[in-house]
Amino acid sequence: MLPSFRSLTTFCSCLALLTASLPNAYAALTISHTRVVHESAKRSSSVIVANPSSRPYAAQAWVNTEADDATTAVPLITSPNLFRLDPGNEQTVQINALPNDLPQDRESLFYFNLQEIPQTAADAGQNVLNVALRTRIKLFYRPSQLKGRPQDRLKDLAWSIQQIEGKTHLVVDNPSPYHFTFNRLIISGAGVSETINAKGMALPLGRQAYALQNVPVTNGLQVTFTTINDYSGTTAEISSPVAQP
């Protein structure tokens, strides 16, 4: 989507490899959201990028797919997509939708990316390493004809135990048109409980599976969970029974 900045993206990707060995590296720029919901009836949505640090930064913003590639076309573009941000300043980045044929019966998932590029001070020596860090947040394209609140559909999630490739999994079937990100997910039964590292979301009109380690498959299993809402808060805790195979 950003061919004019392809070389910059390649450069930033190389620098990103360096950050893997920098456990105390933190992004200097901040974003006003931890997720964005773009309703299809709106021409644009926005995030505010702030620079609370004491040095200027250049920044690049773009939208891509979960695959995190630079070649797949997406129907959302950022404006501006490249800008300078001085210390203490803010920049509003608009996310504009292009004509598209995205599904109208469910949300579509994209990602908003913010790449910060530190500016080299004029008096800096030649042996200075500037590391470019990237922040990546979920961006949900939501058809406006979807009615009701996503959290009202949490009760529709159906949970079961399934054997997948010889291993026991907790499976969730999501009949709703919304993505659900679990903040907390616990399965319990027979006096044993297990907290599940649920990195994968419950996909709209789809199925997600989570491998189990400790909980025995017995009658009376149940899950207790919370999810992240549209405003990055946590939904009320819900408990649901788990069906046996």
Side-chain angles (χ1 to χ4, degrees), residues 29-216:
L29 304 183
T30 63
I31 304 178
S32 57
H33 299 64
T34 60
R35 54 180 46 209
V36 178
V37 177
H38 184 105
E39 295 186 4
S40 63
K42 296 182 178 179
R43 295 186 58 184
S44 66
S45 51
S46 64
V47 298
I48 298 174
V49 180
N51 180 8
S53 76
S54 59
R55 60 187 300 191
Y57 280 82
Q60 184 186 14
W62 72 96
V63 176
N64 66 2
T65 64
E66 186 174 13
D68 198 17
D69 61 72
T71 57
T72 304
V74 296
L76 297 160
I77 59 173
T78 57
S79 178
N81 52 32
L82 188 63
F83 54 92
R84 175 189 167 96
L85 200 54
D86 289 323
N89 286 0
E90 296 181 345
Q91 172 69 53
T92 298
V93 178
Q94 299 286 341
I95 302 170
N96 301 303
L98 301 174
N100 63 75
D101 57 356
L102 292 172
Q104 295 301 299
D105 63 342
R106 72 195 74 181
E107 292 179 329
S108 296
L109 174 66
F110 299 95
Y111 282 81
F112 173 84
N113 300 267
L114 179 71
Q115 183 84 59
E116 64 181 42
I117 309 162
Q119 304 296 284
T120 303
D123 58 350
Q126 293 183 353
N127 298 323
V128 174
L129 174 63
N130 284 325
V131 178
L133 296 178
R134 177 169 59 138
T135 301
R136 195 167 191 248
I137 62 174
K138 295 182 178 75
L139 194 167
F140 302 99
Y141 182 89
R142 181 177 296 169
S144 296
Q145 59 262 40
L146 300 181
K147 304 302 181 183
R149 303 182 306 168
Q151 57 264 40
D152 293 335
R153 299 297 303 272
L154 288 172
K155 64 183 183 300
D156 298 331
L157 296 178
W159 302 87
S160 62
I161 296 295
Q162 304 283 343
Q163 295 296 318
I164 302 175
E165 297 181 350
K167 296 182 179 180
T168 304
H169 286 72
L170 173 67
V171 173
V172 56
D173 286 288
N174 178 11
S176 84
Y178 304 106
H179 292 80
F180 292 118
T181 303
F182 295 104
N183 178 63
R184 184 168 177 262
L185 177 59
I186 298 174
I187 182 171
S188 57
V192 179
S193 63
E194 179 179 340
T195 299
I196 297 172
N197 185 14
K199 292 183 178 180
M201 291 183 292
L203 303 177
L205 307 180
R207 166 175 286 194
Q208 186 62 267
Y210 308 103
L212 295 179
Q213 306 296 331
N214 303 317
V215 172

